Amino acid sequence: MNFDLNENQLMIQQMVRDFAEKEIKPHLLEWDEKEHFPVDVMKKLGDLGLLGIYVPEEYGGSGFSYDEYVTALIELGKVCGGIGLSVAAHNSLCTGHIYYHGSEEQKKRFLPKLASGEFIGAWGLTEPNTGSDAMRMKTTAVKDGDDWIINGAKNWITHGLSGDVSVVLVRTGELLDSKGISAFIVEKGTPGFSAVQIKGKLGVRASETAELIFDNVRVPNANLIGEVGMGFVQAMQILDGGRISIAALSCGVARGAYEASVKYAKEREQFGKPIAQFQGISFKLADMATNVKASELLTFNAAALKNKGAKMTEEGAYAKYFASETAVMCGNEAVQIMGGYGYTREYPAEKFLRDAKLMTIGEGTSEIQKVVISREILK
């Protein structure tokens, strides 16, 4: 299989690289310190076509494949895991759910605005008391005439506060019934729908996280995605693709930490020579390089299957698990290579490490990926 970057990928790679250098790098520390989500930067990414990168042109998207999407996320991750996470969540979760499972009317109504960046998207599955155990969700939707009344709360939701459109998974049937969960589109400003920002995160602090609150929120039946009771099935399919997103972002964070380490090791001298010439350091770099390359190959392999519409549950889990753990390893080694400097915010290593840790948690923990992989190989 050929994983050389195609012409579109090379173009997007350079475009994102130039954008990050100008619009993201100068503000990294400020956004991180203040936990500020730069909505204006997201809008600019929309102008570049990166917020609907695989959405067909007929719905206002760029019409590219998952190859270009993965390439963009890797480049963003090399600079800022927080901005990369926001682009990933917007594309693969909210926008992706409407694109893959929404009606034609829903696609025409919401996708052009999401793809352009006019709308920022959120996606709500997790609740305060249910993470991986989504079947025990307590948020409910009860039919009332031609509407549904939603009550409950969702937690750890990217763009929960700034999102113009949220796709939320709620219980419409019995507890623990996989056919008792449905997906709805909830628009910002709907009476009873509010959000509270979650602060104090370890990393990805430029990406907004919030709790969504539903207090007798009335949603029209037209905002139901697909059929009643199919929300859980839809969510599992969306998470398969979402894992490729996090794998790609992990590759970017890992590569960013690795490249920063190589640069530092060549410049930093001890005992009269660059520390890169010491075997202890060079072997660390070799391990980082090997794991980064393997992560990228796993990720592009999963993306290739996604492009073909083939089943990629197992391959997506491979990529997400390995790449996210690689990101943590590379972040940790970057701090070690840079020593005392790596422990300060003056150098990028500590931020790569902080951002990397979320990758092993979000969209299915490393442990859940092992569950998925073992289940697939033991069928």
Side-chain angles (χ1 to χ4, degrees), residues 70 76 286-287 300:
V70 165
L76 287 171
D287 284 339
F300 277 112

Side-chain angles (χ1 to χ4, degrees), residues 315-364:
E315 289 76 8
Y318 286 150
K320 200 274 185 187
Y321 170 47
F322 191 82
S324 63
E325 293 292 342
T326 292
V328 173
M329 182 273 280
C330 287
N332 191 53
E333 291 288 48
V335 172
Q336 195 70 17
I337 289 169
M338 297 183 195
Y341 291 112
Y343 204 65
T344 70
R345 295 194 174 186
E346 182 181 353
Y347 283 71
E350 62 87 31
K351 184 176 185 300
F352 282 124
L353 178 57
R354 288 188 291 108
D355 286 352
K357 190 56 196 169
L358 185 276
M359 309 305 153
T360 68
I361 299 170
E363 296 195 38

Side-chain angles (χ1 to χ4, degrees), residues 133-322:
D133 189 12
M135 296 264 284
R136 295 182 190 272
M137 67 173 59
K138 295 181 179 179
T139 302
T140 61
V142 178
K143 193 75 183 296
D144 182 34
D146 292 330
D147 298 332
W148 293 82
I149 308 298
I150 302 177
N151 281 286
K154 296 290 177 180
N155 213 23
W156 310 115
I157 308 306
T158 304
H159 308 149
L161 201 66
S162 298
D164 299 281
V165 173
S166 298
V167 173
V168 296
L169 285 300
V170 300
R171 191 158 53 82
T172 51
E174 296 301 316
L175 195 68
L176 301 180
D177 181 4
S178 62
K179 296 295 180 67
I181 295 172
S182 303
F184 292 89
I185 300 170
V186 183
E187 299 177 69
K188 189 174 185 178
T190 302
F193 180 41
S194 61
V196 179
Q197 186 173 359
I198 296 173
K199 289 204 169 189
K201 294 185 299 181
L202 173 69
V204 293
R205 291 161 61 93
S207 181
E208 178 188 278
T209 308
E211 179 180 13
L212 300 180
I213 301 169
F214 302 87
D215 182 10
N216 290 317
V217 176
R218 183 175 291 272
V219 177
N221 192 63
N223 283 26
L224 169 69
I225 300 178
E227 298 178 6
V228 175
M230 293 302 294
F232 187 78
V233 174
Q234 295 171 6
M236 294 304 101
Q237 293 174 0
I238 292 301
L239 285 174
D240 278 349
R243 284 166 186 152
I244 298 176
S245 300
I246 300 301
L249 185 54
S250 297
C251 288
V253 173
R255 181 164 285 283
Y258 160 69
E259 291 180 356
S261 297
V262 170
K263 183 175 184 294
Y264 181 88
K266 287 180 176 179
E267 296 173 351
R268 173 70 166 167
E269 291 191 358
Q270 291 287 273
F271 304 101
K273 59 182 178 180
I275 64 172
Q277 295 183 19
F278 291 98
Q279 194 175 70
I281 300 298
S282 65
F283 277 15
K284 287 182 182 295
L285 296 174
D287 284 339
M288 293 166 78
T290 302
N291 280 272
V292 170
K293 189 63 176 177
S295 297
E296 291 174 347
L297 291 172
L298 283 169
T299 303
F300 277 112
N301 178 58
L305 292 174
K306 178 73 173 174
N307 288 336
K308 293 190 294 186
K311 188 175 186 296
M312 35 64 64
T313 300
E314 184 178 338
E315 289 76 8
Y318 286 150
K320 200 274 185 187
Y321 170 47
F322 191 82

Side-chain angles (χ1 to χ4, degrees), residues 14 17 25 28 67 89 95 117 120 123 166 234 237-238 275 307 315 334 341 379:
Q14 190 60 54
R17 194 171 290 171
K25 271 189 178 180
L28 276 179
D67 294 333
T95 303
I120 291 175
W123 192 77
S166 298
Q234 295 171 6
Q237 293 174 0
I238 292 301
I275 64 172
N307 288 336
E315 289 76 8
Y341 291 112
K379 281 183 176 178

